[in-house]
Amino acid sequence: MKLAYFDPFSGASGDMILGAIVDAGLPVKALREEMGKLPLAGYSLAAQKTQRGGIAATKVNVKLKGHPHDDHPNRHLPDILRAIERSDLPDDDKRQASAVFQRLAEAEGRVHGCPPEKIHFHEVGAVDAIVDIVGSVVGLRLLGVERVVCGPVRTGMGFVTCAHGRLPVPAPAAAELLKGFPTVGTEVEGELTTPTGAALLTTLCDAFGPRPLMTVTAVGYGAGAATRETPPNVLRLFVGEVATEAEAEETDEVLVVEANLDDITGEIIGYVLERLFAAGALDAFLIPIHMKKNRPGVILQAIVEPGNAPAIEQIILTETSTFGIRRTRASRRKLRRESVEVETRYGKIRVKVGHMGKTLVHAAPEYEDCRRAAAEAAVPLKHVYDAALDAFRRR
């Protein structure tokens, strides 16, 4: 299995991601040909070698024909999705690129308090950003990449000036997109990870953590627009093969955060669990125990990404009666997962599939899809589950 591992040690933006893919071996001519299938005119695409902090990297440039760079038209989400859907790109490319824009619009909508379809994309809707997003999806496919993993994402500090004015770093949309994913704050002034970069990584990558065991065949460096030398303003990309089928399974590290509680009400416990999940806990639950002085109690336990631990710990320390928490680092081994969409008499339902090597181990319909379909058809939820599994087995 060919794997791509993004190492955003100096942040990530759309042009850095696309530049790293080109630097790792994607021919610019092939990229241009594929991008020509998108109904998007009035631009040219070029790539050139440059230096950032002594590292040779590729900078991808999109030039508009006959328009000043700042005169890009504003676009709404439906405009961009229609353009992608009308293209002659493969269906998987359309689906992934549309998912990136959908996720980005939802984050912008939460920040600005309006529906995603009403968002003016400004820079994100400009031609160069559309090329960055669609080009990155196309580029990974042309490289033959089957799975994408990413390291912790770096963010800077200070402020950034954009179409909405002067905003704190990370920009509010980037902060929304990175919720639930491992991030590392730095003392570097400026915007290291842009909303476009955050949307691409959090949509396309199916795991975040250390680089998996792999035989690296190519390393690419994508340069950002800023000429910052320390740290070098580049994104690194490793492309290679996982050593064996067994090693293609997901592995990562998590933190188990827990506290013993014996003097807290059920109402507060329920509220705390809701907050932990909203803050990005991978799981949170209670374990009944018998404590000192013959008191019945519970262990409140949360499984979290290492970068998200401080937020989870703050909730437990401020919302419960505990005076301390315990942390345990744990490694996880997970089945390699993919999402498959099946057609049922209740509509399209996504099914989450788990593999060990080439062997199918589990298939589970997505709850939200089934819940929606059951409500629309006014049938029991289990009927939709059964229909989705039957459709998956028949495909």
Side-chain angles (χ1 to χ4, degrees):
M1 172 186 290
K2 182 167 282 191
L3 182 141
Y5 180 81
F6 285 104
D7 178 18
F9 65 86
S10 186
S13 62
D15 58 340
M16 292 168 73
I17 292 171
L18 184 55
I21 294 171
V22 171
D23 202 58
L26 172 65
V28 176
K29 180 180 178 182
L31 178 61
R32 288 196 190 103
E33 290 174 353
E34 288 297 292
M35 292 302 297
K37 298 177 181 179
L38 192 70
L40 189 66
Y43 75 96
S44 62
L45 175 66
Q48 64 182 39
K49 279 288 188 178
T50 186
Q51 289 256 342
R52 295 287 188 272
I55 296 177
T58 294
K59 180 73 175 72
V60 173
N61 296 307
V62 177
K63 295 182 180 179
L64 294 183
K65 297 178 180 179
H67 295 280
H69 186 79
D70 291 333
D71 284 347
H72 296 182
N74 289 340
R75 288 176 170 85
H76 293 87
L77 177 64
D79 302 325
I80 296 173
L81 297 184
R82 277 194 298 270
I84 294 173
E85 186 57 36
R86 290 201 308 267
S87 75
D88 294 325
L89 292 169
D91 287 344
D92 280 350
D93 287 3
K94 294 179 183 180
R95 176 182 57 80
Q96 291 185 1
S98 296
V100 175
F101 274 109
Q102 181 71 44
R103 181 169 167 76
L104 189 52
E106 289 173 355
E108 292 278 4
R110 286 193 292 271
V111 169
H112 301 296
C114 64
E117 60 272 13
K118 298 295 184 182
I119 286 292
H120 284 281
F121 272 83
H122 303 292
E123 294 95 338
V124 174
V127 172
D128 51 355
I130 295 175
V131 173
D132 288 342
I133 289 175
V134 179
S136 295
V137 170
V138 167
L140 289 171
R141 190 235 320 151
L142 292 176
L143 286 180
V145 171
E146 301 169 80
R147 182 171 181 243
V148 186
V149 180
C150 185
V153 181
R154 264 67 174 183
T155 61
M157 62 182 293
F159 295 86
V160 61
T161 301
C162 64
H164 295 291
R166 188 169 166 82
L167 300 176
V169 173
E176 280 289 324
L177 288 159
L178 292 171
K179 287 195 306 187
F181 297 91
T183 60
V184 179
T186 70
E187 296 181 354
V188 179
E189 289 279 350
E191 185 179 37
L192 301 189
T193 298
T194 67
T196 304
L200 275 165
L201 294 179
T202 57
T203 305
L204 301 182
C205 298
D206 60 10
F208 284 74
R211 180 159 56 90
L213 181 62
M214 62 186 293
T215 301
V216 176
T217 56
V219 180
Y221 292 88
T227 57
R228 184 184 65 250
E229 300 291 304
T230 306
N233 189 27
V234 296
L235 172 75
R236 181 162 56 178
L237 170 63
F238 295 91
V239 179
E241 300 286 338
V242 290
T244 67
E245 286 292 341
E247 286 155 3
E249 300 161 18
E250 290 186 21
T251 60
D252 62 5
E253 286 196 345
V254 295
L255 286 180
V256 179
V257 180
E258 63 182 20
N260 291 10
L261 304 171
D262 66 355
D263 58 350
I264 191 168
T265 67
E267 291 89 347
I268 293 178
I269 282 287
Y271 174 74
V272 171
L273 288 173
E274 290 178 0
R275 284 208 59 193
L276 292 177
F277 280 115
L282 300 173
D283 203 355
F285 46 87
L286 304 175
I287 303 172
I289 57 173
H290 196 76
M291 299 177 62
K292 61 184 180 181
K293 299 182 181 178
N294 297 319
R295 296 174 182 169
V298 295
I299 297 176
L300 171 61
Q301 192 171 97
I303 300 174
V304 303
E305 299 279 3
N308 204 28
I312 298 298
E313 293 171 356
Q314 182 176 4
I315 292 173
I316 295 175
L317 289 171
T318 57
E319 294 286 0
T320 75
S321 56
T322 188
F323 277 74
I325 57 176
R326 297 182 295 275
R327 302 190 200 104
T328 305
R329 188 173 292 274
S331 60
R332 293 194 302 175
R333 177 186 175 189
K334 302 178 289 182
L335 297 177
R336 179 171 55 85
R337 289 170 289 180
E338 63 175 333
S339 181
V340 176
E341 192 173 69
V342 298
E343 186 70 52
T344 75
R345 60 181 176 276
Y346 304 112
K348 292 182 178 179
I349 303 292
R350 290 172 298 165
V351 178
K352 184 164 57 179
V353 183
H355 296 273
M356 182 176 291
K358 295 183 178 179
T359 304
L360 172 65
V361 179
H362 294 305
E366 289 286 357
Y367 166 75
E368 289 297 336
D369 289 4
C370 293
R371 181 189 62 78
R372 171 187 48 77
E376 291 175 354
V379 298
L381 180 64
K382 61 182 180 180
H383 289 184
V384 181
Y385 265 83
D386 292 342
L389 289 174
D390 286 344
F392 175 78
R393 296 187 189 102
R394 291 195 307 268
R395 72 186 183 94

